[in-house]
């Protein structure tokens, strides 16, 4: 986990990272380890911890950085500061089907362009306990500035199963140039999208539903128009067309 690649675009340096350790076997004949189709994210991997204090009614778990790529956010909970064993929590977008044992977290944007992580109440999702440690791992990104990077150098750390550093020169084959980085949404864009996102209610029925879903999956799209196949001549029933 951490920085694995570096690139330069217009004389500006960028790091590309992975959030979790990625393990592959070593080829017994060639002595080489190969990571195929590895997805990396522009930015620096950061970590922040909170100790749960139930006596503090104002305690909040806020990610203390701007420009966080929330798609890379990993949330873990340890029983205490003295243990390294941690439980992975997954992001929940709805309380449907949740019970008191589900290890989930919720996310909301708060003041100063930051995000707040919060947990279940013991009915919908597991509630955190006093003294537990909340660990937040995430990548801070520079948005669209690192798009179109195609030449990289290796900056990662490779360790073997015994924990020894065996980092050596790496050969890098680029499958596709970097893409998808976008700046934070403007207030005007949020005002336009928010009511349409809400109106879909996680469904894909109307043309507007499909437009909202596509924007949620591909954040770097400028505009989307959806229409049903029945509008074509001749019509093609049962199909939805998207112009991106």
């Amino acid at each position: 986990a951490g920085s694995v690649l570096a690139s330069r675009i217009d004389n500006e340096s960028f790091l590309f990272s992975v959030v979790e350790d990625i393990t592959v076997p070593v080829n017994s004949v060639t002595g080489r380890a190969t990571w195929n189709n590895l997805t990396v994210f522009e930015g620096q991997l950061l970590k922040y911890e909170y100790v749960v204090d139930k006596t503090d009614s104002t305690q909040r778990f806020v990610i203390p950085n701007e420009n966080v790529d929330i798609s890379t956010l990993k949330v873990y909970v340890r029983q205490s500061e003295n243990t390294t064993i941690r439980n992975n929590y997954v992001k929940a977008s709805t309380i449907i089907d949740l019970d008191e044992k589900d290890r989930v977290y919720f996310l909301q944007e708060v003041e100063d362009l930051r995000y707040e992580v919060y947990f279940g109440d013991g009915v919908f999702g597991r509630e955190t306990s006093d003294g537990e440690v909340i660990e937040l791992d995430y990548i801070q990104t520079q948005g669209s500035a690192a798009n179109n990077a195609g030449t990289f150098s290796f900056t990662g750390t490779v360790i073997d199963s015994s924990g020894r550093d065996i980092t050596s020169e790496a050969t890098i084959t680029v499958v596709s140039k970097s893409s998808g980085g976008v700046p934070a949404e403007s207030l005007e864009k949020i005002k336009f999208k928010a009511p349409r996102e809400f109106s879909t209610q996680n469904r894909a029925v109307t043309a507007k539903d499909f437009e909202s879903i596509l924007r949620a999956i591909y954040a770097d799209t400028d505009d989307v128009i959806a229409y049903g196949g029945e509008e074509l001549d001749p019509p093609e029933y049962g199909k939805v067309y998207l112009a991106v």
Side-chain angles (χ1 to χ4, degrees), residues 9 31 34 47 104 113-114 138 185 202 206:
I9 303 175
T34 303
K47 298 176 182 286
V104 297
L113 302 178
R114 287 166 168 76
Y138 53 91
E185 287 184 326
N202 292 319
T206 71

Side-chain angles (χ1 to χ4, degrees), residues 88-159:
N88 182 35
Y89 278 58
V90 298
K91 182 183 176 183
S93 56
T94 176
I95 62 173
I96 296 174
D97 295 330
L98 292 182
D99 62 29
E100 72 281 0
K101 296 180 180 179
D102 288 320
R103 300 184 186 276
V104 297
Y105 71 90
F106 301 89
L107 193 69
Q108 64 182 0
E109 189 173 357
V110 292
E111 62 276 4
D112 299 326
L113 302 178
R114 287 166 168 76
Y115 289 95
E116 178 183 3
V117 174
Y118 59 103
F119 297 88
D121 58 1
V123 177
F124 298 106
R126 180 185 179 275
E127 184 178 13
T128 55
S129 301
D130 197 41
E132 288 185 329
V133 179
I134 310 299
E135 181 180 323
L136 308 174
D137 298 359
Y138 53 91
I139 290 177
Q140 186 181 34
T141 179
Q142 299 187 55
S144 59
N147 284 346
N148 211 38
T151 303
F152 300 92
S153 57
F154 185 67
T155 60
T157 300
V158 181
I159 61 174

Side-chain angles (χ1 to χ4, degrees), residues 141-207:
T141 179
Q142 299 187 55
S144 59
N147 284 346
N148 211 38
T151 303
F152 300 92
S153 57
F154 185 67
T155 60
T157 300
V158 181
I159 61 174
D160 64 13
S161 56
S162 300
R164 296 174 299 180
D165 188 337
I166 56 170
T167 305
S168 61
E169 214 171 306
T171 300
I172 301 164
T173 301
V174 180
V175 177
S176 61
K177 291 185 177 182
S178 59
S179 63
V182 291
E185 287 184 326
S186 64
L187 289 177
E188 290 74 18
K189 194 170 184 179
I190 292 173
K191 289 177 181 178
F192 175 80
K193 288 175 59 178
R196 290 162 178 80
E197 293 263 353
F198 178 76
S199 66
T200 66
Q201 296 293 302
N202 292 319
R203 72 185 179 195
V205 178
T206 71

Side-chain angles (χ1 to χ4, degrees), residues 16 19 22 50 52 70 87 94 97 101 110-111 127 175 181 187 208 211 219 222 234:
F16 290 77
V19 188
I22 302 174
Y50 286 96
V52 178
I70 58 173
N87 292 303
T94 176
D97 295 330
K101 296 180 180 179
V110 292
E111 62 276 4
E127 184 178 13
V175 177
L187 289 177
K208 294 299 181 183
E211 292 178 7
D222 287 328

